[in-house]
């Protein structure tokens, strides 16, 4: 059963829901200038999902510490050593505790280092603790800036690396990134590009609208509508939200930010003389201002003890037959999409990295759902499909060839299996052009380079007969191709 939460309503008054299970696999980017209602949106998402999934909130301004009282989140002060932060993060994953990582009071450099240590601790947890978790990062441009700033290079490097891991590699570890930013143009492109769901709020600067339009697949004229959005209104798009751009008005929230929206307040109705007296009288005798009272800091040991006893929600049982049916349907859809790419006349000559964004779009349109193949898996599937093979079928001998191919880079596996199939069937060795095409290149010399690469690493042996025809042997498999002309010329009579 899918679990959805209600974000708000559409312009037609219909409820707009967010699919939590889909979000765990596809991530979310929220963008809106200051005052657009971005924090209100995050608060709505967190409140509605608190009872369904573990949450970790990276909070640079202390806006979400109230979740500790209302929803039982453990509030963690970030002013600690790197070792303490990482030990706390490991406990959080182990015991499935929801937390607010409060960075308030730290300077920008320290905020980046602390957030990096916390995210790295979540990311490096033991495999048995890879439970699903929403990781919400407010003001994400602070932790993944697009360019250099006054922050030290080291702090920027570790913070950007941690954010990249969260958005690019976190899915396999159960981490679903939800990042919010005021300025899309100031957010690192490789971090923003990993989100498949988008909620775009009011935006005024042309450069931010251009980035938003590019992510949503809209033209410039459509993107200008972002200027007209009211506070609390967003345009939603993505597999967890809507297949088409959908305006949504975010619903009410139960908690409130400590830094509320500013309101007008008229000055006191006092004369000029009275105001001067209040400012300047007895100035010499007034005691100096007292330093601000330091925020009470919970000891690391106390937080670790709290996390140790945090109750772990029991996951709902899943019917194995239903899960298997969904997996089979998803696999069939992915295989069909990959075959469509191979059938495109130009696709064989584009790299897997260049095709991957288009692949994600096709997956969204076809409703593939969660667990979309990552770039490495897509590269492997594409290489095998380009070679006209299916690595999932065949007898035991063929599976040994598949296992050996796994020791090569993903983009080469299809080429190796193309050669291996010829060896298993005793067919002529494929020509250089065929090998290059299976690799995604138009250059026959690339085919010769691939053979040299594989031969140097012991995967195969290339020989030539007296007519200059190539024979490829597979020592570990006991197979050998028939002689074939490297240039693809037909055999002479």
């Amino acid at each position: 059963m899918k679990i959805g939460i209600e974000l708000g309503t559409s312009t037609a008054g219909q409820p707009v829901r967010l699919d939590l299970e889909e979000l765990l696999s596809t991530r979310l980017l929220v963008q809106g200038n200051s005052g657009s209602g971005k924090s209100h949106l995050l608060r709505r998402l967190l409140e509605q999902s608190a009872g369904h999934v573990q949450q970790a909130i990276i909070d640079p301004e202390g806006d979400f510490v109230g979740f500790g009282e209302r929803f039982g989140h453990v509030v963690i002060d970030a002013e600690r050593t790197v070792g303490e932060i990482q030990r706390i993060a490991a406990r959080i994953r182990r015991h499935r505790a929801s937390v607010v990582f409060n960075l308030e009071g730290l300077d920008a450099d320290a905020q980046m280092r602390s957030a990096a240590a916390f995210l790295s601790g979540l990311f490096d947890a033991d495999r048995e603790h890879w439970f699903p978790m929403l990781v919400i990062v407010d003001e994400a441009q602070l932790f993944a800036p697009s360019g250099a700033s006054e922050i030290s290079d080291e702090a920027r490097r570790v913070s950007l690396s941690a954010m990249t891991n969260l958005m690019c590699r976190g899915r396999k570890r159960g981490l679903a990134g939800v990042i919010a930013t005021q300025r899309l143009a100031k957010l690192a492109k490789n971090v923003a590009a990993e989100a498949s769901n988008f909620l775009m709020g009011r935006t005024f600067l042309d450069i931010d609208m251009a980035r938003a339009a590019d992510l949503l697949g809209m033209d410039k004229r459509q993107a200008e509508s972002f200027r007209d959005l009211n506070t609390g209104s967003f345009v939603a798009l993505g597999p967890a939200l809507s297949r088409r751009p959908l305006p949504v008005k975010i619903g009410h929230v139960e908690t409130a930010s400590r830094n509320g929206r500013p309101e007008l307040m008229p000055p006191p109705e006092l004369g000029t003389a009275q105001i001067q007296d209040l400012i300047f009288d007895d100035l010499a005798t007034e005691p100096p201002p007292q330093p601000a009272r330091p925020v009470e800091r919970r000891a690391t040991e106390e937080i670790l003890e709290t996390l140790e006893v945090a109750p772990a929600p029991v996951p709902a049982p899943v019917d194995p037959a239903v899960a298997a049916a969904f997996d089979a349907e998803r696999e069939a859809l992915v295989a069909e999409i990959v075959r469509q790419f191979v059938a495109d006349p130009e696709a064989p000559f584009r790299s897997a990295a260049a095709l991957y964004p288009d692949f994600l779009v096709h997956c969204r349109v076809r409703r593939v759902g969660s667990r979309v193949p990552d770039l490495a898996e897509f590269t492997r599937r594409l290489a095998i499909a380009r070679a006209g093979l299916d690595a999932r079928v065949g007898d035991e001998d063929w599976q040994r060839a598949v296992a050996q191919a796994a020791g090569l880079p993903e983009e080469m596996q299809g080429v190796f299996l193309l050669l291996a199939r010829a060896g298993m069937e005793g067919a002529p060795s494929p020509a250089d052009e065929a090998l290059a095409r299976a690799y995604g290149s138009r250059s026959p010399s690339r085919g010769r380079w691939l053979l040299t690469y594989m031969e140097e690493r012991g995967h195969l042996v290339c020989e030539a007969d007296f007519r200059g025809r190539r024979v490829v042997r597979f020592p570990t498999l006991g197979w050998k191709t028939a002689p074939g002309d490297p240039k693809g010329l037909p055999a002479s009579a």
Side-chain angles (χ1 to χ4, degrees), residues 7-143:
L7 281 182
T9 56
S10 66
T11 53
Q14 298 298 317
V16 176
R17 300 180 67 82
L18 182 147
D19 186 339
L20 270 184
E21 292 182 348
E22 191 72 32
L23 178 62
L24 291 174
S25 298
T26 52
R27 300 168 290 277
L28 171 64
L29 169 64
V30 179
Q31 195 269 341
N33 291 161
S34 179
S36 63
K38 185 173 69 283
S39 296
H40 179 88
L41 186 156
L42 291 179
R43 198 173 293 276
R44 173 74 179 188
L45 188 156
L46 288 164
E47 290 179 0
Q48 296 295 309
S49 63
H52 300 292
V53 65
Q54 182 186 3
Q55 300 172 346
I57 308 169
I58 309 293
D59 187 4
E61 299 294 339
D63 285 345
F64 297 93
V65 295
F67 274 72
E69 296 179 3
R70 178 63 181 84
F71 295 99
H73 288 51
V74 178
V75 179
I76 301 169
D77 175 30
E79 194 172 351
R80 304 174 187 276
T81 67
V82 171
E84 288 177 332
I85 292 172
Q86 291 181 337
R87 290 199 301 275
I88 289 172
R91 294 276 185 94
I92 289 168
R93 299 227 62 187
R94 184 189 314 162
H95 299 291
R96 303 183 66 190
S98 290
V99 300
V100 178
F101 192 63
N102 184 17
L103 295 159
E104 185 182 22
L106 299 182
D107 61 37
D109 194 276
Q111 283 193 344
M112 295 182 82
R113 293 177 184 272
S114 297
F118 183 70
L119 290 173
S120 297
L122 299 179
F123 185 83
D124 294 334
D126 293 337
R127 179 180 290 270
E128 59 266 27
H129 302 144
W130 289 359
F131 302 114
M133 170 190 277
L134 289 183
V135 182
I136 292 84
V137 184
D138 197 12
E139 305 297 350
Q141 77 279 356
L142 301 177
F143 309 106

Side-chain angles (χ1 to χ4, degrees), residues 19 35 74 78 91 98 166 168 175 178 189 207 231 286-287 311 356 370 372 377 413 421 427 436 462 470 486:
D19 186 339
V74 178
R91 294 276 185 94
S98 290
L166 170 66
C168 298
L175 302 175
V178 176
K189 289 186 177 181
I207 188 172
T231 299
E286 182 175 328
Y356 187 64
S370 58
V372 174
E377 174 64 13
Q413 292 179 18
R421 186 178 68 172
C462 290
R470 183 167 56 218

Side-chain angles (χ1 to χ4, degrees), residues 420-444:
R421 186 178 68 172
M424 182 178 67
E425 297 174 352
S429 171
D432 294 338
E433 185 177 357
L435 297 178
R437 186 179 181 87
Y439 186 71
S441 172
R442 287 187 171 94
S443 172

Side-chain angles (χ1 to χ4, degrees), residues 233-246:
S233 294
F234 291 78
V235 175
L237 178 68
L241 291 161
S242 172
R243 295 184 183 182
R244 299 286 184 270
L246 174 68

